[in-house]
Amino acid sequence: MRHIAVINQKGGVGKTTTAASLGAALALHKRRVLMVDLDPQAHLTLHFNAEPGQDDLTVYEILTRSASAADALVNLGEYLCLIPAHTDLVAAESELVSVVGREVILRDALERFADRYDYLLIDCPPSLGILTLNALAAVTELLIPLQPHFLALQGLARLFETVSLVQARINPELRVCGIVLCLFEGGTRLAGEVVEDLRRFLEAARGTGTPWSEASVFKATIRRNIKLAECPGHGLSIFDYAPRSNGAQDYRALAEELINQAEPPAAVDELPTDEVQVGEQSPAVSDQAVRAAVAGGPNPSTQVAVEVALPPAAAPQSAEPAPSPSNTVTTVA
Ligand SMILES: Nc1ncnc2c1ncn2[C@@H]1O[C@H](COP(=O)(O)OP(=O)(O)O)[C@@H](O)[C@H]1O
Ligand SMILES: [Mg+2]
């Protein structure tokens, strides 16, 4: 059983597409998958045409009204389930601000319930607020979609800083299982340079004990493919909409790599070759809110020194001066 958050505080990098397509791919491998839509934009919910009706429960009621995960569950297929979101989830960030233990509500709601599944996949919002903090507390692994472009690595440094704090204060088991390159356009010099910098950075982190010290870039890269952008409009997974597309191939490869991380290669089932079975911004609760929430965690006295030193991102030829913060982020909390 693996509990994974698909996370990157930047919007438009492929989080929801990855949660949806990876979930569907794992289900094709007969892995029982529970997806949770934790983004007030509810794009994962829309992707599967699973918009809640007036009386249906969603992740909002789980977070703010103590609803049970079972009561909010939507079955999408034999192996695929979703806890949907509604745009009212946007209110949860402010409603939870003064709630004691607000960062572990989702973890507690999914405890035991998620054990029925082989994979829990949480689609995170494009921010580092209380919703994201709930995802970080509820999982043990982080899968980071990254679009390789200028400043992508600076964004990663900020994310790693938060991940370190959460690991130190709330969730000691938290680790990065890998970075997946999305919307990838191979052959461009910039993409090549960013990926090279990223690999060097991860290599340098080996054995350091940081949550990303065992992480690597997945061999499967997700190429830019119009079918991936089209399939949500039809309420279908990429495997139902365009099973032979590059998008379907790439997410199939990612699912197999993920499965092989934990299971021996022989455990990956044979897939049918073509037939398949499976059916901007949330309110800015800033990093400060995360720090405040983390500071109120179980070990407020813990001293944590985080140093995330990333190599300079490949700058475009006519680059403007790189905005601060600089490539080195040092936090002492
Ligand atoms: N590999 C891809 N090829 C083409 N379009 C993609 C790809 N991945 C995502 N998209 C499209 O890009 C947009 C942003 O992707 P999305 O997964 O919603 O990102 P995020 O959840 O990080 O905001 C969406 O319109 C999506 O359909
Ligand atoms: Mg999204």
Side-chain angles (χ1 to χ4, degrees):
M1 175 199 8
R2 295 174 70 178
H3 294 180
I4 302 172
V6 181
I7 188 167
N8 188 328
Q9 77 278 14
K10 187 163 165 28
V13 295
K15 287 184 292 298
T16 302
T17 306
T18 296
S21 306
L22 188 58
L26 291 166
L28 288 175
H29 278 291
K30 297 191 164 56
R31 300 312 191 269
R32 292 161 301 174
V33 180
L34 170 62
M35 300 179 294
V36 176
D37 190 351
L38 203 55
D39 184 354
Q41 295 173 105
H43 286 168
L44 182 64
T45 303
L46 293 171
H47 190 132
F48 288 102
N49 223 349
E51 290 95 317
Q54 193 85 47
D55 300 323
D56 293 333
L57 298 176
T58 66
V59 75
Y60 171 77
E61 284 79 19
I62 292 176
L63 290 172
T64 63
R65 307 279 185 270
S66 306
S68 82
D71 289 341
L73 198 69
V74 176
N75 276 313
L76 301 173
E78 193 180 351
Y79 291 93
L80 195 61
C81 292
L82 170 73
I83 295 181
H86 184 271
T87 48
D88 60 9
L89 182 58
V90 82
E93 292 266 6
S94 52
E95 283 182 44
L96 291 174
V97 154
S98 56
V99 174
V100 175
R102 59 196 169 272
E103 67 277 1
V104 294
I105 301 173
L106 187 67
R107 181 193 74 187
D108 291 351
L110 293 178
E111 208 172 26
R112 288 192 302 277
F113 182 77
D115 292 351
R116 302 176 197 179
Y117 299 88
D118 299 309
Y119 286 84
L120 165 68
L121 293 178
I122 302 182
D123 185 26
C124 292
S127 61
L128 293 174
I130 289 169
L131 291 172
T132 295
L133 196 54
N134 265 273
L136 290 171
V139 301
T140 48
E141 299 181 61
L142 303 175
L143 192 157
I144 303 174
L146 190 98
Q147 194 183 350
H149 60 61
F150 185 53
L151 295 183
L153 298 185
Q154 273 81 355
L156 198 62
R158 258 184 79 211
L159 176 60
F160 281 176
E161 186 188 357
T162 303
V163 169
S164 285
L165 289 168
V166 173
Q167 190 218 30
R169 303 287 175 86
I170 298 174
N171 185 357
E173 289 179 57
L174 195 60
R175 67 183 187 89
V176 178
C177 69
I179 294 170
V180 58
L181 302 170
C182 288
L183 291 144
F184 190 72
E185 288 170 300
T188 66
R189 191 170 138 240
L190 180 61
E193 286 174 359
V194 172
V195 172
E196 200 38 53
D197 284 349
L198 180 60
R199 289 216 162 94
R200 255 204 308 272
F201 165 71
L202 292 174
E203 250 345 284
R206 296 276 173 265
T208 56
T210 54
W212 54 92
S213 62
E214 305 301 321
S216 52
V217 181
F218 283 103
K219 289 192 187 70
T221 55
I222 312 301
R223 291 166 283 182
R224 191 179 277 280
N225 177 239
I226 189 67
K227 299 291 181 196
L228 283 168
E230 289 170 359
C231 64
H234 298 264
L236 295 172
S237 82
I238 188 66
F239 304 104
D240 280 339
Y241 179 70
R244 295 171 198 276
S245 62
N246 286 346
Q249 275 176 39
D250 292 348
Y251 276 109
R252 227 178 255 130
L254 180 64
E256 288 175 13
E257 215 177 321
L258 193 71
I259 289 171
N260 286 337
Q261 277 186 345
E263 306 171 22
V268 177
D269 301 334
E270 274 297 306
L271 276 179
T273 42
D274 40 46
E275 278 301 311
V276 288
Q277 313 137 323
V278 180
E280 147 116 48
Q281 300 287 315
S282 59
V285 176
S286 64
D287 292 2
Q288 268 176 333
V290 173
R291 279 160 209 270
V294 171
N299 303 310
S301 63
T302 309
Q303 287 286 313
V304 54
V306 182
E307 180 144 323
V308 182
L310 287 169
Q317 296 295 336
S318 57
E320 295 163 16
S324 57
S326 70
N327 293 336
T328 301
V329 181
T330 304
T331 302
V332 177

